[in-house]
Amino acid sequence: MPRMARTTRTVVLAVFGISFMTGLAFASVPLYRLFCQATGLNGTTNRGLAAPGSVHRTIEIAFDANTSPKLPWRFVPEQEQEKVEIGARDMAFFTATNRGAQPVTGTATYNVTPAIAGKYFTKIQCFCFTQQTLKPGETQRMPVIFFVDPKILSDPDTRDVQTITLSYTFYPVDSGRASS
């Protein structure tokens, strides 16, 4: 009987270990996102509801736009650079045009450089939060509403940051159809 109990215990522990590791694998992506948002790791930005208000200091924001080679879009910022007041709500526009013959849905990934500034860059509203569908030949203006948190001024690691680059890359959304 003790041999059977030992075998049962081993099986139970193995099943528990496999279940735990599977759960950890599924939870790792959301946990990583939360960690990146909290720390600004890899230029991850924050999401917010309202800007705190200007502190009457400015910082340069550069805008960068890219598309996957598999996406037949032209995607560009309307302005390449803009001086913004730290703490004040600001808005920038990007323009996307579908140069293909079919409607195409895309989704944007984003980051901020220098990466250390990511935790101080907060988006209030962004086209990157939802998928975008463009008909053939359609052009769409896409806004991003943001602010730079005044705490950036008191962080010794960001004291020398004079320009923050907000970069987007659009990718096609996989529709589940096999591509030819």
Side-chain angles (χ1 to χ4, degrees), residues 110-121:
Y110 56 88
N111 71 343
V112 167
T113 53
I116 191 72
K119 64 183 172 182
Y120 301 110
F121 195 95

Side-chain angles (χ1 to χ4, degrees), residues 43-120:
T44 303
T45 65
N46 291 312
R47 288 178 78 169
L49 298 174
S54 175
V55 294
H56 307 293
R57 299 264 309 268
T58 61
I59 192 163
E60 190 80 26
I61 305 295
F63 302 103
D64 177 52
N66 306 282
T67 56
S68 163
K70 296 178 181 179
L71 187 68
W73 287 9
R74 180 176 183 273
F75 176 58
V76 295
E78 289 188 359
Q79 287 185 274
E80 290 186 11
Q81 287 191 309
E82 177 184 1
K83 267 204 188 305
V84 302
E85 289 194 32
I86 295 173
R89 177 184 176 275
D90 209 298
M91 184 183 322
F93 285 93
F94 289 74
T95 303
T97 301
N98 181 356
R99 297 183 296 185
Q102 301 293 323
V104 180
T105 300
T107 188
T109 60
Y110 56 88
N111 71 343
V112 167
T113 53
I116 191 72
K119 64 183 172 182
Y120 301 110

Side-chain angles (χ1 to χ4, degrees), residues 119-150:
K119 64 183 172 182
Y120 301 110
F121 195 95
T122 302
K123 294 180 186 178
I124 297 170
Q125 181 182 336
C126 183
F127 58 87
C128 60
F129 298 154
T130 58
Q131 295 178 354
Q132 306 295 322
T133 301
L134 298 178
K135 296 174 189 164
E138 180 181 9
T139 296
Q140 191 173 80
R141 287 181 83 209
M142 300 178 181
V144 57
I145 300 172
F146 65 93
F147 67 91
V148 177
D149 192 317

